[in-house]
Amino acid sequence: MAVVLLLLLLRSCGDDCDDAASTPNATLTITATPSPAGSQVGKSVESALERVRQTGLSVVVHDASDRDEKPGGDWTVCFEMATLSKVDFAAVPDGAPCPKKDGQRIPWPKMPNVKGATYADAVEKLGDAVGAVTIEAAYEDEAAYDTNNEAGDYANWKVCFQSVKAGTRLAQEPDVILHAVEKDDACPSSKGLYKNPKYDPDYLDREYAEPDDGTSADDGSSADDGSSGDSGSSEEDYYPGDKGGCPPGGCYNPCPPGGCR
């Protein structure tokens, strides 16, 4: 506007224009007003800072949550407050939801309970709130593996266990492992069990008996039985040997203690 007025004045000055133009030390000042940067909500802090600095305004950025951390360039702008000379951005970490108001807690979503759901339904229900959703077999003697139901081979398997407990705040999109069984199978009571117990290394078949090697057999005889029956010894068949000796039961001595008279 100032430039337009100046041109109009120059055109209307007539013969005096040459004198005005030749006047020494004449200056012309044009003041430019910084152009607005536009809303930067939803953009990265790095991008927002660069855009505002191009306008000539000063800019600051702070944590939009209650954690009061130093924002990084990859954080996302949630709120902005601008004056004639400065813009103040409030941002949260990349991937985090914005709080309802500046300075409040980040409303992280909570882990839902997907037990009993099919693997395909669980993946859909978890959506973008988590990272990779991997399936593994709930029984140790079965195998299953897929991520985010990409292959689709286990889409109808039933979820028995989930690695992230229901109700847990899903900060930073954690990866989740779901342990499942085939559609019509029952879930094990706990992880680490075998569908067929015989595949368990610690399994002991009660119907299987070790072969008898004869060492534990009891034929009713004992060491004491050697003194009975024909196999026993008696005084009649006792042979003292070359060195002599008494028969079993001791030697017979007809003399009383003190000797015979």
Side-chain angles (χ1 to χ4, degrees):
M1 182 63 72
V3 175
V4 174
L5 291 175
L6 178 60
L7 292 175
L8 292 175
L9 290 173
L10 290 175
R11 289 180 180 178
S12 62
C13 64
D15 296 336
D16 297 333
C17 291
D18 294 336
D19 296 336
S22 61
T23 302
N25 300 326
T27 59
L28 178 63
T29 302
I30 300 177
T31 303
T33 302
S35 61
S39 177
Q40 301 299 306
V41 173
K43 297 182 179 180
S44 69
V45 167
E46 182 179 8
S47 174
L49 292 178
E50 182 179 358
R51 179 68 184 90
V52 173
R53 285 167 181 161
Q54 292 175 352
T55 67
L57 298 175
S58 61
V59 58
V60 294
V61 58
H62 67 273
D63 191 343
S65 73
D66 59 346
R67 300 175 62 88
D68 196 26
E69 296 182 356
K70 183 179 180 180
D74 61 341
W75 283 34
T76 303
V77 176
C78 291
F79 310 103
E80 58 187 6
M81 184 174 64
T83 65
L84 293 177
S85 60
K86 184 177 72 173
V87 178
D88 186 0
F89 291 129
V92 294
D94 182 36
C98 292
K100 292 183 178 180
K101 293 183 179 180
D102 190 2
Q104 292 185 349
R105 176 183 296 182
I106 295 177
W108 292 107
K110 294 183 179 181
M111 178 69 183
N113 185 2
V114 295
K115 294 179 182 178
T118 64
Y119 175 54
D121 289 343
V123 170
E124 183 177 358
K125 187 174 183 178
L126 293 174
D128 296 332
V130 300
V133 182
T134 303
I135 185 174
E136 293 183 3
Y139 287 106
E140 292 293 322
D141 52 341
E142 291 189 334
Y145 185 81
D146 193 7
T147 301
N148 297 333
N149 197 30
E150 292 178 353
D153 297 336
Y154 309 97
N156 64 345
W157 278 43
K158 180 174 59 180
V159 177
C160 297
F161 309 104
Q162 55 191 63
S163 62
V164 180
K165 185 179 179 181
T168 302
R169 292 185 179 275
L170 299 175
Q172 303 301 331
E173 301 178 2
D175 293 338
V176 176
I177 300 176
L178 302 178
H179 292 85
V181 295
E182 294 188 54
K183 181 180 179 180
D184 297 326
D185 287 350
C187 289
S189 58
S190 62
K191 289 186 290 185
L193 299 181
Y194 288 76
K195 186 176 181 180
N196 186 341
K198 292 186 178 181
Y199 291 128
D200 187 346
D202 298 329
Y203 174 74
L204 178 61
D205 192 343
R206 298 180 181 276
E207 297 180 358
Y208 176 77
E210 292 288 345
D212 189 359
D213 58 4
T215 58
S216 60
D218 185 3
D219 57 3
S221 62
S222 63
D224 295 338
D225 293 340
S227 60
S228 62
D230 296 336
S231 61
S233 299
S234 64
E235 293 184 15
E236 287 77 7
D237 60 4
Y238 172 72
Y239 173 68
D242 296 336
K243 295 182 179 181
C246 296
C251 296
Y252 173 71
N253 188 355
C255 296
C260 297
R261 294 181 180 180

